[in-house]
Amino acid sequence: MKKEIYYWIVLIVIILGTAFYVRLNYNPKTSVSLNFSSSASNTTIYQYQQATLELQVLNNGPTVKGLTVGLSLNGNLTDIYNVSLPTGKGTMIKITHTFGTPGIYNFTAETDPTKLYNNINQASTSITVSVLPPEKAEPQTLLPANQTDFYASNMTILGYGISSYLNKNYSVSQTKLSNILPVNIFMDRLFTIGGSYIENISTASAEYNNGRGLSLWFDGYLKPSIIGVSAQAENLTVSNQTIGTQPISLIRVSPNVTTCSWYSSGWIKTFSWEGNSTCAEILKENPTGISENNTLKKLLTFQNNTISLENFYEKNNTSSRYGNLIVTGKDALAYYTLWDNYTENHTCYGLTDTFNSSSFCSVYMLQNSGSLGNVSLIRTTEYLGKYNISVFSITNSSTNPFNQVSNNIGMIQNLKLQGDSINFTSGLSNTCDFTGVVSCGTPTFANSSISLNLTNIANQTIRLNSIGCFMSGIGPGSLINKTLAAGASTQITTECYNNSKTINAIPLNLQLRILLNYTENNVSDTMQGGALITI
């Protein structure tokens, strides 16, 4: 019985082996032809664009089932397709590919790429696609002449995010997109939602006697129709027009603001106009560009360990300004601005420093909401010869801001600009007040603590029990337990808190709430006062 089972197993193996051999060697050979559509090779493709290739597969032999067709890109197998075709029939395989970098890309398609069968007449076809980088960003070429003010910037999408944060939270004017507020709002929504698909942004804006213009270009993986789609999503009016041979979308952003949008040479380009004319009417005029002040640009140079996220250039009738947003280390970013002419203001409403015969003014900037936020923004300025140099340094709030002032001064000095430094004088004074049994002298603030000189203005002795200092929210107070005779004074020091955390900052217009608990005639009460800290 065991021998019979063994013979049956051997017989089955022989039959299967013979069938497989016949399948590989004696089936009629297939005859399949492959051919790429030539449209992709004849079309100019730019970086970040998606190309569509059409691979035609034609069966010139017997019926094929499950034929594998492989696709290789620059010699690397990327996809395998299964094809079944009756005799004389064909099919089309649509292939899409997005190009992240410029270069020459060679696509090759071949039958049976793994060489599994020997009864197939191997067929292959290739196509080469040239991918170009976007043209040089020159948005200023779309602006009309006779500008009264001009501003241009080039930034990565990360640079835009930081600049937008500074403008929204600290009103740093040079970081705003333009002076056309409705366009700023519209584009900010687009860049916020689609930011992960955007690479670079380049802008040029100008002021005119009859309006304002903004030319904004950006590249990335978004489709050219994104501006129109975004406008329709916000229920804005969109119409199609043609300027010369270029089709454009015209968007009515607000009653007196229009934006024209189109795709050209690797960029999604927009031109916006605020005024009585539309963007299309302005574009039909003869635009003229404006050149940057390369002298300022060359002066603003940085060390090799810095990464630039944005640069900007601004010009009016009297002066020019150039700036750069750079990464200066693990915990800090710096926004340099350099004026070649300016109105001097020798009064410093912050911390003054003199170092190597140079005078610096540093200001701790609160957010527009009045809160300190999760980051600290410190501006340090020096007037040097004909230049006004400022550094806006963004750091983590947990770092010591006094150390950052030293870093800011060092970054200005690293520019190695020549000239006489103009001295600053402080324009700050601190105040405090109470309504009740005590008066308050000029306070001081240092190392998170406020020092108050309190005078008993009651006609009898009082006892000071405890005191608390808060910017917002609550926090722990300090015990005093001190008796104060009528007319007597005492110095009290307590830590100040913002939402239960000590205030670790160089203050600027720091509004503080003071709660003083006291006892008079054996009755305890809490009196509220306030302090304004400016230095």
Side-chain angles (χ1 to χ4, degrees), residues 399-415:
T399 61
N400 189 328
F402 291 95
N403 292 339
Q404 194 55 40
V405 170
S406 299
N407 293 339
N408 285 4
I409 292 173
M411 285 187 284
I412 291 177
Q413 293 186 323
N414 283 339
L415 296 176

Side-chain angles (χ1 to χ4, degrees), residues 2-16:
K2 290 183 179 179
K3 287 186 178 181
E4 291 180 359
I5 293 174
Y6 173 78
Y7 290 142
W8 277 109
I9 291 173
V10 171
L11 180 60
I12 291 172
V13 170
I14 293 173
I15 293 172
L16 290 175

Side-chain angles (χ1 to χ4, degrees), residues 437-456:
V437 298
V438 298
S439 64
C440 182
T442 302
T444 59
F445 186 93
N447 299 324
S448 306
S449 297
I450 189 170
S451 293
L452 304 169
N453 186 274
L454 302 181
T455 300
N456 179 3

Side-chain angles (χ1 to χ4, degrees), residues 154-161 198-201 308-311:
N154 298 285
M155 67 192 91
T156 64
I157 189 63
L158 177 57
Y160 171 79
I198 297 172
E199 296 293 323
N200 304 289
I201 304 169
S308 177
L309 300 178
E310 177 186 0
N311 62 72

Side-chain angles (χ1 to χ4, degrees), residues 170 364-373 375 471-472 498-499:
Y170 297 97
Y364 185 94
M365 303 181 68
L366 292 179
Q367 294 186 3
N368 294 337
S369 61
S371 64
L372 294 174
V375 300
M471 179 178 173
S472 61
N498 179 42
N499 293 323

Side-chain angles (χ1 to χ4, degrees), residues 68-72 77 79-80 110-116 122:
T68 56
V69 176
L71 178 71
S72 299
L77 185 65
D79 292 286
I80 292 180
E110 60 178 335
T111 55
D112 189 24
T114 57
K115 307 298 187 293
L116 180 62
Q122 295 293 135

Side-chain angles (χ1 to χ4, degrees), residues 33-244:
S33 62
L34 304 175
N35 184 49
F36 275 117
S37 169
S38 61
S39 58
S41 60
N42 295 331
T43 302
T44 301
I45 302 294
Y46 285 93
Q47 185 180 4
Y48 311 122
Q49 275 192 298
Q50 184 184 81
T52 299
L53 308 177
E54 294 182 352
L55 176 63
Q56 302 290 340
V57 183
L58 179 63
N59 182 13
N60 300 311
T63 297
V64 294
K65 293 183 179 180
L67 174 67
T68 56
V69 176
L71 178 71
S72 299
L73 175 58
N74 292 341
N76 298 311
L77 185 65
T78 59
D79 292 286
I80 292 180
Y81 305 92
N82 290 310
V83 177
S84 297
L85 288 172
T87 301
K89 298 296 182 179
T91 188
M92 186 268 289
I93 299 174
K94 183 174 288 187
I95 301 164
T96 59
H97 187 82
T98 301
F99 301 91
T101 57
I104 305 298
Y105 293 83
N106 184 60
F107 293 87
T108 299
E110 60 178 335
T111 55
D112 189 24
T114 57
K115 307 298 187 293
L116 180 62
Y117 301 106
N118 61 8
N119 66 320
I120 295 177
N121 287 327
Q122 295 293 135
S124 66
T125 184
S126 297
I127 189 172
T128 298
V129 179
S130 297
V131 179
L132 303 177
E135 68 174 338
K136 181 182 178 181
E138 294 183 317
Q140 71 275 11
T141 58
L142 299 179
L143 294 173
N146 302 318
Q147 300 137 346
T148 58
D149 282 289
F150 173 80
Y151 179 88
S153 67
N154 298 285
M155 67 192 91
T156 64
I157 189 63
L158 177 57
Y160 171 79
I162 296 170
S163 295
S164 177
Y165 175 85
L166 290 177
N167 181 247
K168 291 177 182 177
N169 291 278
Y170 297 97
S171 298
V172 180
S173 60
Q174 60 264 37
T175 65
K176 63 184 175 183
L177 201 58
S178 75
N179 286 330
I180 308 178
L181 182 59
V183 175
N184 292 355
I185 296 173
F186 174 73
M187 297 305 298
D188 183 68
R189 290 195 188 108
L190 172 61
F191 292 156
T192 300
I193 296 173
S196 58
Y197 301 98
I198 297 172
E199 296 293 323
N200 304 289
I201 304 169
S202 186
T203 74
S205 59
E207 300 280 330
Y208 300 87
N209 293 328
N210 63 338
R212 292 170 172 163
L214 167 65
S215 176
L216 185 151
W217 300 5
F218 63 95
D219 63 10
Y221 297 94
L222 293 176
K223 292 185 178 180
S225 59
I226 186 61
I227 299 292
V229 172
S230 299
Q232 290 172 344
E234 296 191 23
N235 295 319
L236 301 177
T237 302
V238 181
S239 61
N240 296 320
Q241 297 190 20
T242 300
I243 298 179

